[in-house]
């Protein structure tokens, strides 16, 4: 009947409406899931990119640390480090100044990117007395982002203008410490606060500034140690001459003991040994030592001398300084004691002839 047909049509329309509503609801749920998945993928990609960038920074920092610790030439290692900083941070210019006096800095190193020229290479010293708050601010903040360099000396402003960094230019300055002593400044040009890597660059620069300070301190210690020990070993050489003239070598070990103890005290040595050449001049024989490990005594009692080392002994040269003892090819093997990093040896001569 017509009534039944209408009722069937109404039921069919209602079922169609319910189905359409469920489809729209399910489509909305699916769209929401797709949106969430896309957001999650984007977050993961960003996290992976950040992790990869951190790995690149950490690898570069490890490389810088390694060559600063292993370098035998401090100046070249610092120049190389500044180039590494430029590549890592995209800085246009990186430089280091060291303090010389209370209110004076002296230029030491500079690097600039391709297409730019060095502007500080002929600058020996400059004063910053007019802006005495500079040092205090550097100490207090641990780093200065300087957008107005009008407080710097006229000479510095002129040089910055040459580089396109006029009085409104951007400089980031970090203090360099050797121990607790403020020894200088690490400076960068071209680091922009709007750069997404700005904070990461600053963290890397703080780490590198610490490495440079440690390298400077190590260089000063090595130079001071070398000077002190070289001076004291010359004293030992002179003492040997006097002792030999006085009584020959019969009681030499007993006579050398006070001198050896004095060198240990003044030269900050960990251990010291004195060898004399044998009668056939083919071996070194131990005549005095202090603080040499017990396990090393036997190997040091008599050392056969390689031809290359014999030639070295016969040359009237400066004391032999080895900064990496394990890698030395000059010293006889028994003298390359495990657990010791450096070695300094001086000739013992009598009437201009090497004796040990």
């Amino acid at each position: 009947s017509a009534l039944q047909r209408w009722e069937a049509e109404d039921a069919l329309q209602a079922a169609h409406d319910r189905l359409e509503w469920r489809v729209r609801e399910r489509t909305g749920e699916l769209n929401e899931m797709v949106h969430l998945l896309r957001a999650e993928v984007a977050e993961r990609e960003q996290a992976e990119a950040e992790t990869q960038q951190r790995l690149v920074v950490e690898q570069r920092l490890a490389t810088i640390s390694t060559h600063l610790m292993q370098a035998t030439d401090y100046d070249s290692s610092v120049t190389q480090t500044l180039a590494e900083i430029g590549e890592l941070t995209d800085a246009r210019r990186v430089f280091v100044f060291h303090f010389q006096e209370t209110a004076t800095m002296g230029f030491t190193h500079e690097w600039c990117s391709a297409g730019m020229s060095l502007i500080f290479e002929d600058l020996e010293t400059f004063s910053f007395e007019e802006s005495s708050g500079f040092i205090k601010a550097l100490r207090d903040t641990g780093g200065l982002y300087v957008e107005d360099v009008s407080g710097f000396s006229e000479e510095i402003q002129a040089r910055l203008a040459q580089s396109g960094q006029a009085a409104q230019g951007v400089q980031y300055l970090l203090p360099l410490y050797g121990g607790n002593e403020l020894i200088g400044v690490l400076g960068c040009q071209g680091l922009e606060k709007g750069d997404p890597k700005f904070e990461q660059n600053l963290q890397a620069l703080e780490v590198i500034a610490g490495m440079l300070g440690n390298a400077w301190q190590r260089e000063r210690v090595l130079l001071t140690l070398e000077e002190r020990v070289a001076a004291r070993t010359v004293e030992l050489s002179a003492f040997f001459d006097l002792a030999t003239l006085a009584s020959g070598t019969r009681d030499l070990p007993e006579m050398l003991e006070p001198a050896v103890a004095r060198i240990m005290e003044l030269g900050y040595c960990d251990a010291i040994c004195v060898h004399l050449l044998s009668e056939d001049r083919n071996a070194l024989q131990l005549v005095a030592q202090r603080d040499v490990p017990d396990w090393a005594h036997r190997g040091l009692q008599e050392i056969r001398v390689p031809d290359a080392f014999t030639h070295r002994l016969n040359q009237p040269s400066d004391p032999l300084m080895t900064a990496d003892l394990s890698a030395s090819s000059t010293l006889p093997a028994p003298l390359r004691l495990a657990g010791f990093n450096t070695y300094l040896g001086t000739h013992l001569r009598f009437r201009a002839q090497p004796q040990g």
Side-chain angles (χ1 to χ4, degrees), residues 324-339:
D324 186 0
L325 194 55
S326 62
S328 173
S329 60
T330 304
L331 291 176
L335 289 175
R336 300 196 296 269
L337 299 183

Side-chain angles (χ1 to χ4, degrees), residues 41-42 87 124 159 204 216 238 342:
V41 168
E87 294 176 9
E124 295 183 358
R159 290 173 183 266
W216 179 90
T342 60

Side-chain angles (χ1 to χ4, degrees), residues 305-318:
V305 181
D307 292 340
F309 194 70
T310 301
H311 178 73
R312 181 74 169 80
L313 284 176
N314 290 326
Q315 298 298 315
S317 55
D318 293 332

Side-chain angles (χ1 to χ4, degrees), residues 245-301:
L245 285 172
S247 60
T249 60
R250 184 180 56 184
D251 299 321
L252 189 57
E254 182 179 351
M255 298 177 68
L256 281 175
E257 194 62 31
V260 169
R262 183 62 173 160
I263 289 176
M264 287 284 295
E265 178 184 349
L266 298 179
Y268 300 100
C269 307
D270 292 321
I272 187 171
C273 56
V274 181
H275 286 86
L276 296 182
L277 283 168
S278 60
E279 290 185 2
D280 60 10
R281 305 184 72 78
N282 289 325
L284 290 170
Q285 297 174 335
L286 186 68
V287 295
Q289 65 84 22
R290 194 176 185 89
D291 290 350
V292 171
D294 293 339
W295 56 264
H297 285 180
R298 183 175 180 180
L300 291 174
Q301 288 299 323

Side-chain angles (χ1 to χ4, degrees), residues 5 9 15 27-28 52 54-55 62 83 105 137 139 148-149 155 174 198-199 202 259 294 304 330:
R5 187 171 65 253
E9 290 176 353
T27 300
Q52 183 63 31
R54 281 197 297 271
L55 287 174
M105 282 190 189
R139 291 182 185 275
D148 182 1
V149 297
E155 182 177 9
L174 276 166
F198 180 75
E199 291 299 328
L202 296 193
D294 293 339
R304 304 306 297 178
T330 304

Side-chain angles (χ1 to χ4, degrees), residues 77-113:
S77 68
V78 172
T79 301
Q80 181 181 349
T81 298
L82 299 189
E84 295 272 4
I85 292 174
E87 294 176 9
L88 179 64
T89 64
D90 296 325
R92 292 190 290 271
R93 186 182 309 278
V94 189
F95 51 89
V96 168
F97 290 103
H98 279 299
F99 293 119
Q100 293 184 337
E101 297 174 3
T102 305
T104 303
M105 282 190 189
F107 161 74
T108 54
H109 303 87
E110 179 184 10
W111 171 90
C112 61
S113 59

